[in-house]
Amino acid sequence: MTVVERSPELRPGGQAVDARGVAKEVIRRMGLDAAVRAARTVTAGAYTVDADGNVLETYAADDHGGDGYIAEIEILRGDLSQVLYDDTHDGVEYVFGDRIAELVQDADGVDVIFAGGDRRRFDLVVGADGLHSALRAMVFGPHERFVRHLGLVLAFYSVPNEFGLDRWLIEYQESGRSALLRPIHDATRAMAMFSFPSADFDVDYRDVEAQKRLLRERTTGLGWLTPRILEHLDDTPDFYLDQVAQVVMDRWSSGRVGLLGDAAFSSSPMSGQGTGLALVGAYLLAGELAAAGWDPEAGFAAYERQMRPFVEANQEIGRLHARSLDVPGPDAEPSTEPEWDPDLIERAINGLELPDYAGVPDSGAPAAPPITSSTRP
Ligand SMILES: Cc1cc2nc3c(=O)[nH]c(=O)nc-3n(C[C@H](O)[C@H](O)[C@H](O)COP(=O)(O)OP(=O)(O)OC[C@H]3O[C@@H](n4cnc5c(N)ncnc54)[C@H](O)[C@@H]3O)c2cc1C
């Protein structure tokens, strides 16, 4: 197996992601429970505050059996990548700093031309290259056909921890906009995060200066610590801003090319389950392909059949959450929290019975290895 990652090296840090329910079980079956727990963030929970910093509500990390708003397994995306990489790099070829420029498939395999010039042939190609997947655009069609903007924009960047933040995340909300500070490993710094409504979004996701302008514009007048947090916008070493979006597709495979994770079925950060879906999807995809003797049609179909209801429950959560933050105008009252249906939440967290692939022989693995176009989270 070959993993191709566009970045020159593993990308450190990033946002904190949670693993709940079935995703925790995948981590356990991979034998990575101890390693993931050792790399967890130290977040004890979250509280919401009013404009003066008075606490409104508190959510502890061990609420709801550890599967609540702040999950007991919360880990920076980059730290999870590191754990997965450490566990696999002996048996997997990792190619950093390259990407697929072109591919042509026939009945027996896929010819791949890399941006760096290499030409290789693989049995299968799996695109796990995120929300803006280039592989999806190459094989399935333009982004606009599959990416659904949920009317919100999310930004985050690190700031000096001059706010006395310890192990608790603090969130402030006002008229559909929010500002948040969360602790990170380096206690001298904190991660700031903002969200604001935006019906249309046409800022290039690579144009950082335009994104910072948009953030300043849309957070004007936002209370609490917002002005102080924004003072650090120009000198932060890291910055991320993107629309909150989902990916909805009729099919996640075409012949010998399949999609996985956000590229196929982003549920958006509003679901809190994107990483969980990517992990569970990877488990099912690998297991079903091996169980099908590496027959792409049968393997991709079995993966999709089991994964789809799980994805749909999580996308529903993402949409409900985004809608609950939607406000018609700056002076309007925020909508109330949706009435969360416990059955929907249960389906989104635990609603998939993981097959046990323990006895599946992978000796029938293809002569040329499959490829995935990116590291998993
Ligand atoms: C602010 C925020 C908070 C979130 N919170 C949570 C949470 O609490 N819980 C949760 O489960 N999820 C959360 N998510 C979502 C989660 O981060 C994603 O769902 C998850 O990372 C998807 O994993 P992925 O591997 O599919 O894609 P990504 O993590 O996007 O990884 C894609 C990889 O592909 C690489 N790449 C891109 N293009 C190419 C190319 N052409 N060729 C080769 N490589 C390429 C990228 O460099 C990257 O390494 C959050 C996301 C955000 C932004």
Side-chain angles (χ1 to χ4, degrees):
M1 167 143 150
T2 303
V3 176
V4 183
E5 164 59 52
R6 187 180 57 183
S7 300
E9 57 199 23
L10 277 186
R11 299 167 64 190
Q15 70 277 13
V17 296
D18 300 312
R20 304 180 174 84
V22 194
K24 274 201 287 199
E25 176 59 14
V26 168
I27 290 170
R28 197 188 64 76
R29 290 191 190 189
M30 290 172 79
L32 295 178
D33 196 46
V36 166
R37 281 175 189 272
R40 283 183 296 180
T41 66
V42 291
T43 312
Y47 51 89
T48 52
V49 291
D50 65 16
D52 298 321
N54 300 309
V55 176
L56 300 175
E57 274 181 278
T58 305
Y59 308 86
D62 51 9
D63 286 352
H64 307 287
D67 286 344
Y69 170 40
I70 300 293
E72 102 185 273
I73 295 195
E74 186 192 69
I75 180 168
L76 295 186
R77 183 194 167 285
D79 292 342
L80 181 57
S81 294
Q82 187 72 54
V83 170
L84 293 168
Y85 174 76
D86 290 346
D87 188 58
T88 54
H89 70 90
D90 278 345
V92 171
E93 177 193 13
Y94 279 87
V95 177
F96 287 98
D98 210 346
R99 61 185 169 82
I100 295 175
E102 223 180 299
L103 58 80
V104 179
Q105 55 172 318
D106 55 44
D108 305 317
V110 190
D111 289 316
V112 174
I113 303 177
F114 290 90
D118 280 1
R119 287 164 180 263
R120 292 173 64 178
R121 185 168 172 82
F122 297 93
D123 288 281
L124 301 168
V125 174
V126 175
D129 48 348
L131 179 64
H132 302 283
S133 171
L135 199 91
R136 184 183 63 224
M138 221 179 275
V139 176
F140 297 84
H143 297 299
E144 306 75 55
R145 199 186 295 167
F146 308 115
V147 178
R148 310 260 167 96
H149 184 18
L150 297 189
L152 272 181
V153 168
L154 201 65
F156 60 87
Y157 57 96
S158 69
V159 294
N161 186 5
E162 59 184 42
F163 309 98
L165 208 66
D166 51 19
R167 296 179 57 213
W168 288 78
L169 174 157
I170 312 172
E171 180 171 1
Y172 171 71
Q173 293 189 2
E174 182 186 309
S175 304
R177 298 182 293 177
S178 74
L180 184 155
L181 282 169
R182 70 175 316 139
I184 51 180
H185 286 306
D186 174 1
T188 66
R189 297 189 69 77
M191 186 65 79
M193 199 181 298
F194 290 101
S195 74
F196 53 84
S198 170
D200 45 4
F201 180 81
D202 58 4
V203 180
D204 189 306
Y205 72 97
R206 287 158 298 208
D207 186 348
V208 172
E209 285 317 309
Q211 292 172 1
K212 287 185 176 177
R213 273 198 304 278
L214 180 74
L215 177 62
R216 279 214 171 82
E217 209 179 287
R218 298 298 173 90
T219 49
T220 304
L222 188 60
W224 187 52
L225 297 169
T226 300
R228 276 176 64 192
I229 298 172
L230 287 174
E231 279 172 19
H232 299 289
L233 190 55
D234 285 330
D235 51 28
T236 184
D238 44 56
F239 180 78
Y240 165 98
L241 179 144
D242 203 354
Q243 60 174 325
V244 170
Q246 296 188 334
V247 172
V248 180
M249 303 181 77
D250 291 340
R251 299 199 54 179
W252 302 330
S253 68
S254 170
R256 293 182 165 271
V257 180
L259 294 175
L260 175 64
D262 275 9
F265 43 69
S266 165
S267 56
S268 87
M270 291 295 120
S271 75
Q273 285 277 95
T275 304
L277 287 179
L279 284 169
V280 173
Y283 176 91
L284 283 177
L285 180 57
E288 292 302 334
L289 282 168
W294 300 94
D295 174 66
E297 200 180 326
F300 283 137
Y303 147 71
E304 186 163 336
R305 196 169 50 243
Q306 293 171 81
M307 195 63 197
R308 216 168 246 289
F310 191 51
V311 165
E312 281 167 4
N314 281 290
Q315 291 194 328
E316 177 68 13
I317 300 239
R319 282 191 297 270
L320 283 172
H321 193 184
R323 217 174 293 147
S324 75
L325 301 175
D326 189 24
V327 284
D331 299 324
E333 283 300 309
S335 355
T336 48
E337 271 280 304
E339 277 295 315
W340 289 110
D341 172 3
D343 177 57
L344 175 65
I345 294 180
E346 177 60 18
R347 281 188 286 123
I349 295 177
N350 292 311
L352 193 145
E353 192 71 40
L354 284 179
D356 186 355
Y357 298 110
V360 174
D362 58 6
S363 51
I371 183 178
T372 117
S373 76
S374 154
T375 49
R376 284 178 284 116

